[in-house]
Amino acid sequence: MSVIRKSFAPTAIKATIGAGLGFALATGAVADTPKKGGTLVIGSPQTPRHLNPAVQSGVATGMPGSQIFATPLRFDENWNPQPYLAESWKVSADGLSVTLNLRKNAKFHDGKPVTSEDVAFSIDTIKKNHPFKTMFSPVAKVDTPDPHTAILRLSKPHPAILLAMSSSLCAIIPKHVYGDGKDAKRHPMNLKPVGSGPFRFVEYVKGQHIILERDPNFFLKGKPYLDKIIYKINKNSNSLALGLERGDIHLRAFNTKSRELGRLKKNKNLVVTAQGYAAIGPIAWLAFNLKHPILGKKAVRQAIAYAVDRKFINEALHSGLSKPALGPIAMGNPLADQNAKRYDLDLGKANKMLDAAGYPRKDGGTRFQVTLDTLLSQRDVAEYLKPQLKKVGIDVKLRIPPDFPTWANWVKSHEFDMTVDVVFNWGDPVIGVHRTYVTSNIRKGVIWSNTQSYSNAKVDALLEKAGVELDPAKRKQIYLEFQKIVTDELPVYWMYGLPYHTIYNKKVGNPPLTIWGTMGPMDNVYLK
Amino acid sequence: MPILRLVLERIAYAFIVVTAVLVLNFILVRLAPGDPAEVIAGESGGITEEILAAIRRDYGLDLPIHEQLWIYLGNAIQGDLGYSFYFNSPVVELVVSRMGPTILLILAATVIALFIGTTLGVLASRNPEGLFSNFLTVASLIGYSAPAFWTGLMLIILFAFVVPIFPIAGLYDVTLSVGFFGRALDIAHHLVLPAFTLAIIYIAQYSRLARASMLEVLGSDYIRTARAKGVAERVVFFKHALRNAVLPIITITGLHFGNLLSGAVLVEAVFNWPGLGTLAFDSLLRRDYTTILALLFFSALMVIVANLATDFCYRLADPRIKGKRS
């Protein structure tokens, strides 16, 4: 009798759980009512230096940073600014001041209120320490007429300012913690951060994990839904993939490995999506050193563009996971020119152009020799380019760097002919696009500056105008004109948007898919 | 007295080696191209020259190399090995925090390799032309030639995915909230795959060595004498033969310590084991000079200590060495 009872009890429980699951799935299909509680486990291959995005750029710090620190604004998936720490804001008609009305109930995780003083201090800290200089350089000062009003005074109109005040770019850090006179870049509290975001810091073990827990006093009532977020750090992408398949990990972002993604797509518990990277806008391109005697000629660069098959890269190398990039502004950005000159594969045309440019094939069928460098992550594309350019008589010598610093050293000192590179847009062109094309940013020794030595007075003038134009329609016109010029002159040949993908378990509700994706706050995310 | 003298001699010797290691490495590491300032400034950012210059100034990277070396040696004598650019913390703290897991991994691998390797080798030596012995020869050839990262990945796929009985990576499971004993068990559970991966190469080596060494000893005169005296075969085998055959294995184990440390770099990388290996890997890729130097310093120290320990183990196993200079 007792034997029967023992074996009966678990079956009954299983049956109940089964019924419960079935019910949950059924209701889930109708309407998603967010559920409270649970621990979201995110897998990440990167170890952040520290967790303070006010003084450190990049994805590694940005992902957890946006959970710990709130920003004045946030953006939805359609590029519209939304209230966050600022419940409302106003840009003056002349564009020279931005007034932020802060929430009165916002508190830092140590219980002290968030005030306009903190906003002024944060912007000043970012201006002094963050590598993206252009974000706040027009901000002359921040006035604080009362604790809940901050007015940014600008030296010139700056349409990028709203985006610069959003996720991961403008962490509001408490003055009473970080304003003690210590160097912000090496502040001890960067490893034990205190912010006002939806989750507060619990523990960070370098190379292993970050633990964050729900802030019960978060200023948006009822949020966040999750009790905890754990970032499991593991450099090995394949181990993270196994973790997703096993269910140990709920979510992984910034994966570009097509073989892995192809496999994960087949798993019925997982969703693989390319959404959530619009603002980051990673573009892979073939950069030309315009100081090179042959590559300095526009016709040669255009011929190379005609010889490269973007479709092959997208479909064969990336198994259909990447999309072509047609110009300097990421295709997901409303400012991008969707009708830019395309350079569809045409080997005949490429050959003719090279003949006409004065580089006929010599005995061996070779016209000239150039070196091609590559970021290690894009090595497969560089290896494709070598035989592909051979078809039009260009002898490419591949130079594969042993590691990132070596490559950066070649490119920043302008000692390269061509290189495959990946550069991020970071939302507004002022932050991530201008730097590649303006003459004033030709600076030896700085990677991801205008290392191509591209210089066109018209482009300089257009970009300067676009940087201060407040009317969105007019601004777009200026950027379209800019894109027309550079897509003709090709200081770089944009090949594809990096196929960043987010993989998440179907248990994850409201997955982070806004323009900042996992680099935005996850107060809406829940576990079903 | 000879022990004290030996220790003092060894310490003096160690000091010279360590200083040479420090100077040589300092120069070598700086000769590698690349700039840590860029890594600190962040990925693909719109960095400017001013920011880079400020970072270099902050970390003393703008001084001429001989001045940097001088400052470094001066601080090193006082026990300050510098501040990690990348990890944003004092290097000594960083290295010490990573030592535990590496020592755990190396010791576990050594014990596994010694135990399994010696046992297999000794068993094979009982019938050197038998099937088992031949199988062992082939198996150890494979075990010895398979690269650790490959073996590691295969073990992960087999025992963490196809038959998911072990965790994929890491030292412990953060999502688990358990007491001290539970955590210790969890760590042991996480230790199995990496320790075996690291041990496999050495199992292969020790089994070959034990087999060869046993065969050599079993053919020697005193074994024949013992057998002639009518000593039981079991006693001959384990007491007379094994004890002598084990001496070269002890020597090799000590010498292997440095190899194990470098093997740990690969194994730790595969299993994301938070030890000195992953730290070395990360800091190399990021040109984190101070961390690389500190790691080289500590590993030199560990190898010296291991060699010293080998000497003493040798004395315990072989009474003939007592009183002699090694």
Side-chain angles (χ1 to χ4, degrees), chain A residues 161-420:
Chain A
I161 189 77
L162 293 183
L163 199 109
M165 283 195 292
S166 76
S167 300
S168 93
L169 296 177
C170 187
I172 298 305
I173 57 176
K175 190 180 179 185
H176 62 269
V177 175
Y178 295 93
D180 56 3
K182 288 193 190 127
D183 177 7
K185 283 199 286 294
R186 291 165 74 172
H187 202 286
M189 293 305 276
N190 291 349
L191 286 167
K192 278 183 242 160
V194 179
S196 57
F199 295 90
R200 61 187 181 197
F201 174 80
V202 179
E203 185 185 53
Y204 174 26
V205 179
K206 289 221 162 133
Q208 292 291 300
H209 61 256
I210 304 166
I211 305 176
L212 309 177
E213 67 177 12
R214 176 175 196 273
D215 174 23
N217 303 316
F218 183 53
F219 55 82
L220 295 176
K221 284 291 155 256
K223 304 271 183 70
Y225 297 122
L226 297 165
D227 282 339
K228 265 188 188 174
I229 296 182
I230 292 178
Y231 291 85
K232 270 196 185 171
I233 302 168
N234 190 330
K235 280 188 294 295
N236 306 309
S237 188
N238 39 25
S239 296
L240 292 175
L242 289 178
L244 281 162
E245 288 175 287
R246 268 174 49 147
D248 300 355
I249 294 170
H250 297 123
L251 189 149
R252 142 102 155 107
F254 295 95
N255 192 344
T256 60
K257 304 204 161 150
S258 45
R259 245 180 246 136
E260 237 172 72
L261 291 168
R263 199 180 81 221
L264 294 172
K265 265 188 171 171
K266 290 188 195 125
N267 189 312
K268 58 181 187 307
N269 298 321
L270 301 173
V271 180
V272 177
T273 173
Q275 236 182 305
Y277 301 95
I280 294 158
I283 304 178
W285 65 49
L286 176 64
F288 304 105
N289 188 343
L290 304 190
K291 288 270 164 359
H292 188 279
I294 302 170
L295 299 172
K297 294 188 178 162
K298 181 170 105 178
V300 173
R301 298 195 297 273
Q302 288 182 337
I304 291 176
Y306 278 117
V308 175
D309 189 2
R310 280 173 174 144
K311 242 170 117 182
F312 179 86
I313 299 176
N314 297 150
E315 284 164 19
L317 286 182
H318 295 148
S319 331
L321 291 163
S322 70
K323 291 212 170 76
L326 300 182
I329 299 178
M331 301 317 284
N333 189 315
L335 295 170
D337 181 3
Q338 305 292 340
N339 305 311
K341 194 169 170 184
R342 293 191 64 100
Y343 300 97
D344 288 328
L345 177 72
D346 191 339
L347 293 178
K349 191 165 182 177
N351 272 318
K352 268 188 211 132
M353 288 178 86
L354 290 168
D355 287 339
Y359 301 102
R361 286 177 188 266
K362 283 170 230 149
D363 328 326
T366 304
R367 300 171 192 277
F368 55 85
Q369 196 188 53
V370 283
T371 59
L372 171 63
D373 305 341
T374 182
L375 272 177
L376 279 174
S377 62
Q378 308 305 311
R379 184 179 174 157
D380 51 348
V381 174
E383 276 165 356
Y384 154 73
L385 290 174
K386 181 183 159 82
Q388 184 64 16
L389 293 180
K390 183 96 199 167
K391 290 182 188 165
V392 293
I394 299 172
D395 183 15
V396 171
K397 259 185 70 181
L398 270 187
R399 197 162 58 148
I400 308 285
D403 54 16
F404 170 77
T406 310
W407 172 84
N409 203 36
W410 293 337
V411 177
K412 72 175 184 187
S413 48
H414 301 187
E415 281 160 14
F416 72 102
D417 297 345
M418 301 195 293
T419 183
V420 180

Side-chain angles (χ1 to χ4, degrees), chain A residues 186 188 191 206, chain B residues 79-85 87-97 279 288 290-291 294 298:
Chain A
R186 291 165 74 172
L191 286 167
K206 289 221 162 133
Chain B
D80 174 10
L81 291 176
Y83 191 88
S84 159
F85 321 130
F87 293 95
N88 223 12
S89 92
V91 165
V92 174
E93 244 172 62
L94 199 62
V95 173
V96 168
S97 74
L279 186 64
D288 194 347
T290 44
T291 311
F298 274 95

Side-chain angles (χ1 to χ4, degrees), chain A residues 39 41 46-50 56-60 128-133 183 185-187 190-191 203 205-209 211 230 232-236 238-239 242-243 245-246 248 403-406 408-409 412 422-424 426 431 435 441 443-448, chain B residues 33-35 38-52 54-56 58-59 83-89 94 98 153 156-157 159-161 164-175 268-274 278 281-282 284-287:
Chain A
T39 299
V41 181
Q46 289 177 303
T47 295
R49 291 186 65 228
H50 59 68
Q56 174 75 41
S57 69
V59 171
K128 283 187 185 135
N129 296 287
H130 198 283
F132 299 178
K133 275 279 162 247
D183 177 7
K185 283 199 286 294
R186 291 165 74 172
H187 202 286
N190 291 349
L191 286 167
E203 185 185 53
V205 179
K206 289 221 162 133
Q208 292 291 300
H209 61 256
I211 305 176
I230 292 178
K232 270 196 185 171
I233 302 168
N234 190 330
K235 280 188 294 295
N236 306 309
N238 39 25
S239 296
L242 289 178
E245 288 175 287
R246 268 174 49 147
D248 300 355
D403 54 16
F404 170 77
T406 310
N409 203 36
K412 72 175 184 187
V422 176
V423 176
F424 293 10
W426 292 116
I431 304 171
R435 54 181 164 145
N441 206 27
R443 300 154 182 249
K444 260 195 187 170
V446 182
I447 191 68
W448 296 308
Chain B
D35 184 348
E38 270 152 18
V39 183
I40 295 166
E43 316 135 24
S44 308
I47 36 172
T48 62
E49 254 163 318
E50 298 78 54
I51 290 265
L52 287 176
I55 294 173
R56 286 190 200 110
D58 280 354
Y59 294 101
Y83 191 88
S84 159
F85 321 130
Y86 189 79
F87 293 95
N88 223 12
S89 92
L94 199 62
R98 299 292 194 102
L153 286 174
I156 290 179
I157 290 174
F159 297 108
F161 191 66
I165 45 173
F166 289 111
I168 297 169
L171 179 64
Y172 59 89
D173 186 354
V174 267
T175 55
E268 285 184 7
V270 172
F271 289 92
N272 204 40
W273 191 256
T278 37
F281 191 72
D282 288 345
L284 260 175
L285 290 184
R286 276 149 185 158
R287 295 289 186 276

Side-chain angles (χ1 to χ4, degrees), chain B residues 188-227:
Chain B
H189 190 209
H190 280 76
L191 179 63
V192 176
L193 291 186
F196 261 95
T197 306
L198 186 55
I200 280 174
I201 293 178
Y202 299 96
I203 291 177
Q205 287 193 30
Y206 294 154
S207 65
R208 300 278 288 151
L209 191 66
R211 181 177 168 277
S213 172
M214 276 300 276
L215 287 179
E216 197 190 315
V217 172
L218 283 170
S220 61
D221 292 346
Y222 64 88
I223 296 293
R224 200 171 46 212
T225 314
R227 278 181 178 148

Side-chain angles (χ1 to χ4, degrees), chain B residues 89-322:
Chain B
S89 92
V91 165
V92 174
E93 244 172 62
L94 199 62
V95 173
V96 168
S97 74
R98 299 292 194 102
M99 259 167 133
T102 296
I103 292 176
L104 183 66
L105 176 65
I106 289 181
L107 285 182
T110 308
V111 170
I112 293 171
L114 267 178
F115 183 74
I116 299 183
T118 315
T119 310
L120 291 177
V122 168
L123 287 178
S125 72
R126 301 189 78 157
N127 184 2
E129 299 308 321
L131 194 65
F132 177 72
S133 180
N134 285 328
F135 169 76
L136 189 70
T137 308
V138 175
S140 49
L141 186 70
I142 294 170
Y144 184 67
S145 9
F149 62 87
W150 183 83
T151 325
L153 286 174
M154 292 305 115
L155 288 180
I156 290 179
I157 290 174
L158 274 177
F159 297 108
F161 191 66
V162 178
V163 190
I165 45 173
F166 289 111
I168 297 169
L171 179 64
Y172 59 89
D173 186 354
V174 267
T175 55
L176 230 60
S177 49
V178 286
F180 175 80
F181 190 65
R183 177 75 6 121
L185 268 181
D186 189 33
I187 291 177
H189 190 209
H190 280 76
L191 179 63
V192 176
L193 291 186
F196 261 95
T197 306
L198 186 55
I200 280 174
I201 293 178
Y202 299 96
I203 291 177
Q205 287 193 30
Y206 294 154
S207 65
R208 300 278 288 151
L209 191 66
R211 181 177 168 277
S213 172
M214 276 300 276
L215 287 179
E216 197 190 315
V217 172
L218 283 170
S220 61
D221 292 346
Y222 64 88
I223 296 293
R224 200 171 46 212
T225 314
R227 278 181 178 148
K229 272 198 310 188
V231 178
E233 183 59 26
R234 197 171 46 84
V235 180
V236 172
F237 196 80
F238 288 104
K239 201 174 166 198
H240 296 237
L242 186 58
R243 188 158 180 188
N244 284 296
V246 101
L247 288 176
I249 297 175
I250 293 178
T251 318
I252 292 293
T253 310
L255 289 175
H256 272 167
F257 197 80
N259 295 8
L260 273 164
L261 208 56
S262 54
V265 175
L266 287 178
V267 175
E268 285 184 7
V270 172
F271 289 92
N272 204 40
W273 191 256
L276 297 174
T278 37
L279 186 64
F281 191 72
D282 288 345
S283 43
L284 260 175
L285 290 184
R286 276 149 185 158
R287 295 289 186 276
D288 194 347
Y289 301 145
T290 44
T291 311
I292 302 170
L293 286 172
L295 281 168
L296 291 168
F297 171 76
F298 274 95
S299 36
L301 219 59
M302 276 163 83
V303 170
I304 290 166
V305 169
N307 283 346
L308 213 57
T310 315
D311 271 354
F312 293 120
C313 286
Y314 216 85
R315 280 158 184 275
L316 289 180
D318 187 355
R320 284 172 301 178
I321 300 176
K322 237 175 225 158

